[in-house]
Amino acid sequence: MRSLVTAWAANRAWARAGAIVVPLVLAALAPPAAVLAATARLVADFEPASPPYGRELPQSFLAAGSRVVYPAPDVEEPWALWASDGTAEGTRLLTVPCRECSLSPLASTGELAFFAAKGNYYTLRVWRSDGTVAGTYPVAPWLADYTFPPVAPAAAGRYVYFQACDPLHGCGVWSSDGGAAVRLAEPLGAGFAEYRSSLIAIGEDVYFLANPAGGGGYGLFRASARTRTVEL
């Protein structure tokens, strides 16, 4: 009998502890009241039904100040640049960068978003946007991109770096702070034959592994938009 009483008392003690501990654990795991109060809402309906064949829905969003900029279809074009501040009134078409081409995100500096309009035959043109119509325009002429695998661009401070090719200098690293894009001078002046890494941002510079077109084997290079140079 004493053992039964002892077991019953122990069970009561565990029950009382559980009545206290379990609510505390659940309260700790529960999201804040602000999160529970937040609700998702429709900003813009791009395709009320399934998208037609050959048309894409927006997939890549880049920050541009208090707005986001993204590629999405227009009524007559498969790709256009749009911006939104999170409201229906603040969601608008910015521009159609080109006909019969695709749009790919490059990077964002926080205040500016950069995209590449890609045409046929490995051509590209880099655009910038601050989320307004007036602040959306190209920063480079049509260039080429022959690198494979593709070299991922990078944002480093107020600069965006990307790889592109021109008929005079071959393939190299370009940069823009929202103004006209500049090709950075290479140490051998002959561009790069092959890249072994994407562009890695440190501070306002980027680093990458590449094989110069002039030979010499692979090396670690630093590209700086501040000095407009690429150094081994």
Side-chain angles (χ1 to χ4, degrees), residues 98-120:
C98 57
R99 308 290 178 181
E100 298 182 357
C101 69
S102 63
L103 288 172
S104 299
L106 291 181
S108 169
T109 62
E111 294 299 319
L112 295 176
F114 290 77
F115 292 83
K118 295 187 176 182
N120 297 327

Side-chain angles (χ1 to χ4, degrees), residues 108-185:
S108 169
T109 62
E111 294 299 319
L112 295 176
F114 290 77
F115 292 83
K118 295 187 176 182
N120 297 327
Y121 307 108
Y122 303 100
T123 58
L124 65 85
R125 193 177 195 186
V126 175
W127 286 67
R128 55 144 276 177
S129 178
D130 62 359
T132 68
V133 174
T136 302
Y137 48 84
V139 296
W142 281 98
L143 301 169
D145 184 6
Y146 301 125
T147 57
F148 185 84
V151 178
R158 57 196 175 98
Y159 299 103
V160 162
Y161 294 81
F162 60 94
Q163 189 278 338
C165 313
D166 65 65
L168 182 61
H169 302 96
C171 300
V173 179
W174 295 65
S175 71
S176 172
D177 61 357
V182 176
R183 181 191 170 93
L184 307 182

Side-chain angles (χ1 to χ4, degrees), residues 4 42 49 82 84 87 93 105 113 157 187 211:
L4 292 176
L42 179 67
W82 292 72
S84 178
T87 67
L93 171 70
N211 181 18

